[in-house]
């Protein structure tokens, strides 16, 4: 929930729904979208790494052994 | 076979879970309305049963216009929050209010004798509730396609939604049943109308707070190219989307698959003699349904969506046949039948979870296909068709079941269903067949449209990759423009 225009910095009310900035006319939802996607991808990657580590910690050893064996079998 | 590992993941753990929690909040009120509609209106509010049936029928026809219309309006929407999220931010408030107005009716109109006034109140509040619910439901499912360009992300949020709403959504049914019993036996000092008002307030505040998370805590991550699509064009787009139409046709052909539920109630009371046994037989299935969500990612890596659909339908039919044969000589003996049904439930619930995720994900694939073909995305229209067909097949399968009832020797006497003595039909045998083998085998015809469905595997992957490159270009163009202006 950005409260200002990412391009010209104009303050926007949260009830301002229009797609374009009233001052500079840029597309508020898509301006700098590549940067936003890049950041989201990094954030998601970090969150899933944490989750994977958590699951790894919670998984009993014998299951892990079996999974390792399955993996090497399929290779 | 993996249909999306070339793309990055954008939706994190928190956003995935919150999308599911929001769906859980959304269905609290919905499940109350669906499960308790007739009981509340007839017994608590005092509206004649005939008026309730008439209203539900008329609303069914209204949905046929309402759903695609809302879908079109959603597809036309552009805002700085995206095209779907504005609705998810706004809708929870009026939806909460109308939930309270609808279920509070008996309390608000206490002392009113006029049946006409009650019917008017019921029709107006139900109409508005349904209307607003639709404006929230279509963008919610549409968001599953717009939340990420990566099918793996989409599948994950759909799984989260189905799983969490399965748990949270089951609660109101249990709570209402308990509260009704407590009130009737005077254990709690509240009348039924007060109980319903109280539960509506919980569903309308707590539930809607959770639902609003879907607007507050998510993002739309796909550029909607066309800035000013016309409503009529949105409708036209629907008919150009052959893959979507194939999915819809398949859903309609699969209608018979839903008739088992109607007969299962009669089977337990009339053949086995104890209605509550169905709860016992359902427990293992509930658990396997949950496990299925966990294992589905593995299956999705190995098989395409189409392969999963074929696998599910065929195994469902096979399990139906085996179950039918296993209980063919003892379908009135609870000691044998309950375990058999429980085992069947383990398999069918497992398959049911897959069926709750994969077709929804495929709708998102067809939205991608339309963007690839025409440059426009139609999340609203496509998912509105899905919700509409869901309601349509629901009503159709009830109608089919009602038509079968007299044919197999069941008879309605007052409020109860009894075995009719006439005819020499083996009613109990037919009921056994109807809850085990007939629905899954008959719904195999729903696979026919999928024979023509080839938006899978490499073709789908290439389309999604090409779309990604196109979108990158349009984002880069935006950046260039940015540089020039500076
Ligand atoms: Zn600006």
């Amino acid at each position: 929930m950005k409260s200002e225009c990412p391009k010209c910095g104009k303050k926007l009310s949260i009830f301002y729904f229009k797609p374009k900035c009233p001052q500079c006319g840029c597309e508020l939802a898509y301006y700098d979208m590549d940067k936003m996607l890049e950041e989201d991808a990094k954030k998601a990657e970090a969150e899933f790494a944490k989750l994977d580590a958590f699951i790894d910690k919670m998984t009993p050893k014998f299951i892990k052994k079996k999974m390792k064996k399955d993996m090497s079998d399929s290779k | 076979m993996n249909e999306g590992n070339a793309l990055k993941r954008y939706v994190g753990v928190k956003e995935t879970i919150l999308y599911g929690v929001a769906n859980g909040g959304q269905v609290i009120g919905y499940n109350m309305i669906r499960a308790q509609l007739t009981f509340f209106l007839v017994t608590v509010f005092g509206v004649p049963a005939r008026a309730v049936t008439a209203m539900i029928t008329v609303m069914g026809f209204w949905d046929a216009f309402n759903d695609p219309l809302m879908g079109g309006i959603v597809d036309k929407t552009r805002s700085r929050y995206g095209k779907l999220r504005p609705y998810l931010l706004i809708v929870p408030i009026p939806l909460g209010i109308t939930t309270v107005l609808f279920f509070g009716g008996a309390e608000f109109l206490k002392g009113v004798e006029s049946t006409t006034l009650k019917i008017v109140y019921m029709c107006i509040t139900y109409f508005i509730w349904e209307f607003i619910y639709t404006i929230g439901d279509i963008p919610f499912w549409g968001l599953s396609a717009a939340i990420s360009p990566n099918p793996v992300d989409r599948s994950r949020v759909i799984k989260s939604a189905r799983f969490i709403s399965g748990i949270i959504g089951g609660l109101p049914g249990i709570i209402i049943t308990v509260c009704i019993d407590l009130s009737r036996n005077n254990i709690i000092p509240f009348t039924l109308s007060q109980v319903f008002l109280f539960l509506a307030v919980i569903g309308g505040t707590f539930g809607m707070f959770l639902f609003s998370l879907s607007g507050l805590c998510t993002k739309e991550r796909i550029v909607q190219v066309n800035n000013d699509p016309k409503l009529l064009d949105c409708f036209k787009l629907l008919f150009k989307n052959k893959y979507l139409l194939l999915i819809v046709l398949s859903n309609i052909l699969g209608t018979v698959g839903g008739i088992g539920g109607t007969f299962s109630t009669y089977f337990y009371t009339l053949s086995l003699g104890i209605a509550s046994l169905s709860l016992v037989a359902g427990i293992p299935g509930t658990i396997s349904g949950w496990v299925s969500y966990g294992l589905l990612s593995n299956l999705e890596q190995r098989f395409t969506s189409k392969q999963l659909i074929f696998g599910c339908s065929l195994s469902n039919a096979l399990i139906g046949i085996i179950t039918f044969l296993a209980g063919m000589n003892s379908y009135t003996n609870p000691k044998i039948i309950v375990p058999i049904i429980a085992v069947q439930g383990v398999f069918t619930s497992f398959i049911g979870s897959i069926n709750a995720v994969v077709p929804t994900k495929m709708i998102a694939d067809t939205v991608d296909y339309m963007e690839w073909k025409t440059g426009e995305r139609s999340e609203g229209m496509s998912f509105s068709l899905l919700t509409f067909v869901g309601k349509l097949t629901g009503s159709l399968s009830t109608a089919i079941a009602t038509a079968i009832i007299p044919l197999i020797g069941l008879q309605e006497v007052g409020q109860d269903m009894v075995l009719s003595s006439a005819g020499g039909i083996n009613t109990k045998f037919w009921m056994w067949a109807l809850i085990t083998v007939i629905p899954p085998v008959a719904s195999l015809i729903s696979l026919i449209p999928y024979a023509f469905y080839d938006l899978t595997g490499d073709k789908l992957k290439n389309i999604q990759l090409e779309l990604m490159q196109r979108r990158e270009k349009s984002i880069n163009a935006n950046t260039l423009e940015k540089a020039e202006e500076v």
Side-chain angles (χ1 to χ4, degrees):
Chain A
M1 293 259 161
K2 279 167 275 172
S3 59
E4 54 193 40
C5 170
K7 190 174 174 187
C8 70
K10 182 175 169 56
K11 285 238 157 33
L12 300 168
S13 145
I14 55 162
F15 297 108
Y16 181 83
F17 273 71
K18 285 180 188 158
K20 287 185 175 157
C21 170
Q23 188 166 295
C24 69
C26 77
E27 292 276 348
L28 290 163
Y30 307 134
Y31 189 86
D32 261 352
M33 196 180 190
D34 45 350
K35 216 170 96 192
M36 178 199 95
L37 285 176
E38 206 54 49
E39 277 166 17
D40 284 351
K42 260 186 218 148
K43 216 175 95 197
E45 223 40 68
E47 281 184 31
F48 279 107
K50 234 189 200 169
L51 181 74
D52 287 343
F54 176 74
I55 292 173
D56 191 59
K57 220 165 84 187
M58 301 305 284
T59 315
K61 274 210 177 103
F62 71 94
I63 295 179
K64 266 193 255 178
K65 256 186 206 157
K66 194 182 166 293
M67 273 162 65
K68 248 188 202 160
K69 196 173 156 281
D70 284 354
M71 289 248 273
S72 55
D73 282 355
S74 67
K75 271 174 197 167
Chain B
M1 279 299 161
N2 188 336
E3 290 179 346
N5 52 11
L7 300 167
K8 278 183 200 160
R9 296 191 292 190
Y10 297 102
V11 187
V13 179
K14 222 189 326 176
E15 195 174 332
T16 307
I17 293 173
L18 288 176
Y19 184 81
V21 170
N23 190 219
Q26 183 199 10
V27 301
I28 290 180
Y30 178 84
N31 286 358
M32 264 180 76
I33 296 245
R34 283 283 170 269
Q36 301 297 332
L37 190 65
T38 312
F39 175 79
F40 167 74
L41 290 171
V42 176
T43 313
V44 182
F45 198 16
V47 174
R50 262 191 311 167
V52 175
T53 318
M55 180 190 74
I56 294 171
T57 314
V58 173
M59 285 303 296
F61 287 113
W62 165 243
D63 282 331
F65 297 97
N66 186 24
D67 282 23
L69 185 68
M70 281 304 137
I73 291 174
V74 167
D75 279 339
K76 254 183 80 64
T77 304
R78 297 289 182 272
S79 88
R80 79 159 164 132
Y81 298 118
K83 86 173 196 191
L84 309 155
R85 281 178 62 220
Y87 295 98
L88 300 173
L89 291 167
I90 297 169
V91 159
I93 296 167
L95 188 58
I97 295 171
T98 38
T99 307
V100 173
L101 282 178
F102 181 78
F103 278 119
E107 190 61 22
F108 299 148
L109 296 188
K110 204 160 69 178
V112 171
E113 292 296 322
S114 160
T115 309
T116 319
L117 186 65
K118 283 182 182 174
I119 293 176
V120 170
Y121 184 90
M122 164 186 85
C123 288
I124 293 175
T125 48
Y126 185 70
F127 179 83
I128 299 175
W129 178 85
E130 168 95 21
F131 183 72
I132 298 175
Y133 186 85
T134 308
I135 312 179
D137 198 35
I138 292 167
F140 179 83
W141 289 110
L143 186 59
S144 73
I147 202 164
S148 166
N150 187 340
V152 176
D153 280 334
R154 293 173 184 171
S155 166
R156 207 180 277 120
V157 298
I158 297 169
K159 268 179 271 182
S160 166
R162 300 287 192 205
F163 176 65
I164 297 176
S165 71
I167 296 174
I168 300 182
L171 292 177
I174 300 169
I175 294 171
I176 288 184
T177 317
V178 172
C179 285
I180 289 172
D181 278 346
L182 291 177
S183 166
R184 278 187 162 164
N185 298 316
N186 293 320
I187 298 170
I188 48 172
F190 302 112
T191 60
L192 280 178
S193 57
Q194 285 167 333
V195 165
F196 270 95
L197 175 61
F198 173 71
L199 292 169
V201 169
I202 292 184
T205 51
F206 177 64
M208 286 304 115
F209 161 70
L210 296 184
F211 185 34
S212 69
L213 295 176
S214 64
L216 292 169
C217 305
T218 58
K219 271 185 203 163
E220 292 178 30
R221 294 186 175 83
I222 296 179
V223 180
Q224 305 285 341
V225 181
N226 189 342
N227 271 324
D228 190 23
K230 299 278 169 289
L231 193 57
L232 199 67
D233 292 337
C234 297
F235 275 98
K236 277 186 196 153
L237 223 52
L238 200 60
F239 294 99
K240 281 189 201 157
N241 193 340
K242 68 169 177 187
Y243 294 111
L244 178 67
L245 296 177
L246 285 173
I247 295 176
V248 166
L249 180 64
S250 164
N251 283 0
I252 294 173
L253 288 175
T255 300
V256 201
I259 63 173
T262 307
F263 293 100
S264 138
T265 322
Y266 304 140
F267 178 79
Y268 279 104
T269 38
L270 299 175
S271 295
L272 300 184
I274 311 165
S276 55
L277 276 178
S278 68
L279 297 175
V280 181
I283 293 170
T286 310
I287 295 164
S288 82
W290 291 342
V291 172
S292 174
Y293 288 115
L295 297 178
L296 184 51
S297 303
N298 258 319
L299 292 174
E300 284 176 307
Q301 271 167 25
R302 265 169 231 189
F303 304 105
T304 65
S305 300
K306 184 177 164 179
Q307 287 168 332
L308 285 175
I309 298 258
F310 269 86
C312 283
S313 290
L314 292 171
S315 3
N316 232 351
L318 186 68
I319 292 156
I321 294 169
I322 295 172
T323 312
F324 172 72
L325 294 176
M328 205 169 67
N329 296 316
S330 38
Y331 46 83
T332 51
N333 183 348
K335 276 183 199 154
I336 299 174
I337 288 302
V338 171
I340 289 180
I341 294 180
V343 172
Q344 186 195 19
V346 168
F347 291 104
T348 52
S349 300
F350 191 90
I351 293 167
S353 294
I354 299 175
N355 274 331
V357 174
V358 174
T360 312
K361 196 181 83 169
M362 289 167 91
I363 301 272
D365 292 340
T366 72
V367 174
D368 282 345
Y369 167 73
M370 281 317 277
E371 183 188 354
W372 178 75
K373 197 175 151 189
T374 69
E376 276 183 57
R377 293 181 67 77
S378 53
E379 282 96 347
M381 270 295 175
S382 306
F383 282 92
S384 76
L385 206 59
L386 184 76
T387 57
F388 165 64
V389 170
K391 291 173 197 166
L392 179 77
T393 52
S395 323
L396 268 179
S397 72
T398 311
I400 295 173
T402 316
I404 294 175
I405 284 172
L407 296 180
I408 60 164
L410 283 170
Q411 207 177 8
E412 216 172 341
V413 176
Q415 296 266 325
D416 296 317
M417 194 63 79
V418 295
L419 297 174
S420 106
S421 45
I425 306 163
N426 191 345
T427 308
K428 288 178 181 176
F429 176 80
W430 280 107
M431 281 199 289
W432 175 240
L434 279 164
I435 66 163
T436 53
V437 70
I438 294 175
V441 171
S443 60
L444 281 179
I445 54 164
S446 70
L447 289 179
I448 296 171
Y450 279 114
F452 303 95
Y453 189 99
D454 62 355
L455 188 64
T456 54
D458 285 340
K459 180 172 179 176
L460 179 64
K461 214 196 237 166
N462 290 337
I463 287 179
Q464 281 165 341
L465 278 174
E466 200 185 316
L467 279 177
M468 198 179 65
Q469 287 158 357
R470 272 196 223 167
R471 289 181 197 131
E472 248 165 36
K473 258 186 206 159
S474 84
I475 292 175
N476 284 342
N478 192 16
T479 321
L480 269 179
E481 191 184 305
K482 200 160 77 185
E484 276 166 17
E485 278 169 25
V486 171

